[in-house]
Each structure stands twice: as structure tokens, then as C-alpha cells.
Amino acid sequence: MDEPLEAAYLLSQVGAEEEAQRLRAQARGLLDQELALLLPGLPRNARVVDLGCGIGLLADALSQARTDLQVLGVDADALAVQEARRVFGHRSHLSFRAGSLQAGPAEGEELADAVILRLVLMHQADASAALQACRAWLRPGGQLHVLEGDDRAILAEPAGAWLERILALMQTVQLRRGGSRRLGLDLAGLLAQAGWRPAGLSRLDFDLERLGPVFEGVFFPVADFHLKQAVRDSLCEEEEAAFLLDQLRQGCRGGFSRAKVPLFHAWTRSEGP
Ligand SMILES: C[S@@+](CC[C@H](N)C(=O)[O-])C[C@H]1O[C@@H](n2cnc3c(N)ncnc32)[C@H](O)[C@@H]1O
């Protein structure tokens, strides 16, 4: 890559093997719902670019569900691209390459009919600039789809002040790493700020009732990662972090009667024919 990338998340920084497993579990819990949102609007034979594709799960699911699509996954993390290629590299109409969303398409690369950013914006130091950078990837009239979480909209019952404390610590850690875990509720405003006119908004839920033990496997490691960092950053004591994680584990293992982690979807179109 031409220039060093500033992002709050790179697979290689968060424990590649465990994180790949977590991403697979997360995808299993949500992909069907996401495909139902994305696929109907994609034109026939569309070229789709999944920016920040990670280990390629969404890119692969798109190309499996619609064999007319040409799907390119791009990720700033060479390790993620290597893993995506290892697992899905043999498929036709699906390719992966290293690159940052800010760098735009490679020389001679075709522009996209649709760009997807899934859980990538939350890791950018400047979300508005990242949304502006997406413009360079799209042909006129092309679609930009953004999928983001927002910890402010997490629902877990019954839970006490301990959950608020976990979420506050996670956000402080994320802000320090150069991102934010509180973007999903503001997607329309962020798009508008970056010069896009939002065309549609919706919400999906990662649901404890539906997912059972998968819920813990997806949500717990993220909290664990952030709280360990919070201890290293002296934002809390080790004992408090252990207490908070224990509460969360108990919640996931039967303590919660209801729990939902939302994923917000916003889409827009680049100006043109
Ligand atoms: C939380 S993961 C999400 C991966 C995938 N989109 C998914 O939903 O499973 C965020 C991914 O974005 C990549 N990433 C972060 N900043 C990026 C940037 N500026 N350009 C390209 N990729 C980036 C990371 O390397 C990581 O693989």
C-alpha cells in the first residue's frame, strides 16, 4: 500500500484466528437478513465492491446468491485478504485485493455499480471523509450501502448500570483507537454531511432469542477485547473489568430475557444517469 493506513481495526491487531471465527459466527447470524436487503436492488450483472471486506464473507455470500454479479472485496489488511483468497479465491466472479477505501480504485479498475461498507465506518477516524471517498469507486447512478452498529441502540434486559459502564468504556477505547461505536443511528446525517442524499434506511437485529449461544460468541469477545484495552489504558481497574465481563457472560448465558444488537442500513445513489 502507498501510505500507512489509520484505522481502529485491523484483523492482525485483534487476534486473527479468533476474530475470523467471530466474524463467521456474526455473518451466520445476520447474512440472510442482509442479503434480503441488498440483493433485490442490485442491477443484473452489477459490479459490486465490498470495501473493508474482511475475510470475504459478505462478498462470497453475494456472489453465491447472485451468480450474475461481479464481486470484488477490498481490504486494507493484507492478512484478511490472504484469508479471503484462501477460502474463496477459487470462485469465479469473485476476487479480492488489498487496498484502502480512501485510496480509491486502482488504475484501470472498472467503477462499481454498488459499493458496500459493512462495519467499516466505525473504524475510521473521519467517517464523513470516508463516505466522501466512496464516491470515487462508483459509476454515476451507482449505489452506496452502509451497514453499521450503534451501541446506544443495544437492548439487553434485565441489565444494570454495569452494561452502561461496559458500553461507555468500549466507546472510549474505540474513540482513542480512532473510530466510533455510535454511528448507526446517525447514518442519514453522516451521509448528508458527506454530500450524499440518503435513499433508504432500515434496521436489522442480532437477536439473542434467535441466535442462542452464537450471540455470546459474537458479542462477548468484542467487549472482552475493549475492556482489556481499557485496563491497559488505565480507564478501569482489572477487577472492575473482570466483574463487568462476568456480568455480561451471565447475561448471555441465560441472565437476559431479551437482548438485541442492532445493525443499521442506509443506502444512497451517486448522481448521474
Ligand atoms: C469489523 S471488520 C468488518 C469486516 C467485514 N466487512 C464484515 O462485516 O465481516 C472491519 C474491516 O475493515 C477493514 N478496514 C478498516 N479500515 C479500512 C480502510 N480504510 N480501507 C479498507 N479496509 C479497511 C479492516 O481491515 C477489517 O477487515
Side-chain angles (χ1 to χ4, degrees), residues 8 18 159 174 180 226 260:
E18 300 79 32
Q174 184 74 354
S180 171
H226 283 81
K260 288 177 193 302

Side-chain angles (χ1 to χ4, degrees), residues 5 7 9-11 19 23 26 50-54 57 74-77 80 99-102 118-120 123-124:
L5 174 79
Y9 170 111
L10 290 175
L11 190 70
E19 180 60 357
L23 288 172
Q26 179 170 275
D50 182 8
L51 285 178
C53 65
L57 300 167
V74 175
D75 201 285
D77 189 342
S100 82
L101 83 88
Q102 287 84 356
R118 183 185 190 272
L119 300 174
V120 172
H123 301 299
Q124 308 308 309

Side-chain angles (χ1 to χ4, degrees), residues 79-140:
L79 196 69
V81 173
Q82 188 185 317
E83 177 65 8
R85 282 193 180 139
R86 185 183 71 78
V87 182
F88 305 120
H90 58 285
R91 300 231 207 274
S92 53
H93 309 295
L94 175 63
S95 56
F96 298 95
R97 74 164 176 85
S100 82
L101 83 88
Q102 287 84 356
E107 216 178 302
E109 205 165 60
E110 216 182 306
L111 294 181
D113 299 291
V115 157
I116 301 173
L117 277 189
R118 183 185 190 272
L119 300 174
V120 172
L121 211 53
M122 65 184 294
H123 301 299
Q124 308 308 309
D126 186 339
S128 179
L131 288 173
Q132 285 176 44
C134 290
R135 213 175 286 280
W137 291 85
L138 280 168
R139 68 161 178 77

Side-chain angles (χ1 to χ4, degrees), residues 38-86:
L38 296 170
L39 288 173
L42 295 177
R44 264 204 83 64
N45 302 320
R47 176 176 167 78
V48 181
V49 179
D50 182 8
L51 285 178
C53 65
I55 57 174
L57 300 167
L58 177 62
D60 173 63
L62 286 165
S63 79
Q64 290 289 300
R66 281 267 305 271
T67 50
D68 61 296
L69 302 176
Q70 285 285 346
V71 184
L72 169 68
V74 175
D75 201 285
D77 189 342
L79 196 69
V81 173
Q82 188 185 317
E83 177 65 8
R85 282 193 180 139
R86 185 183 71 78

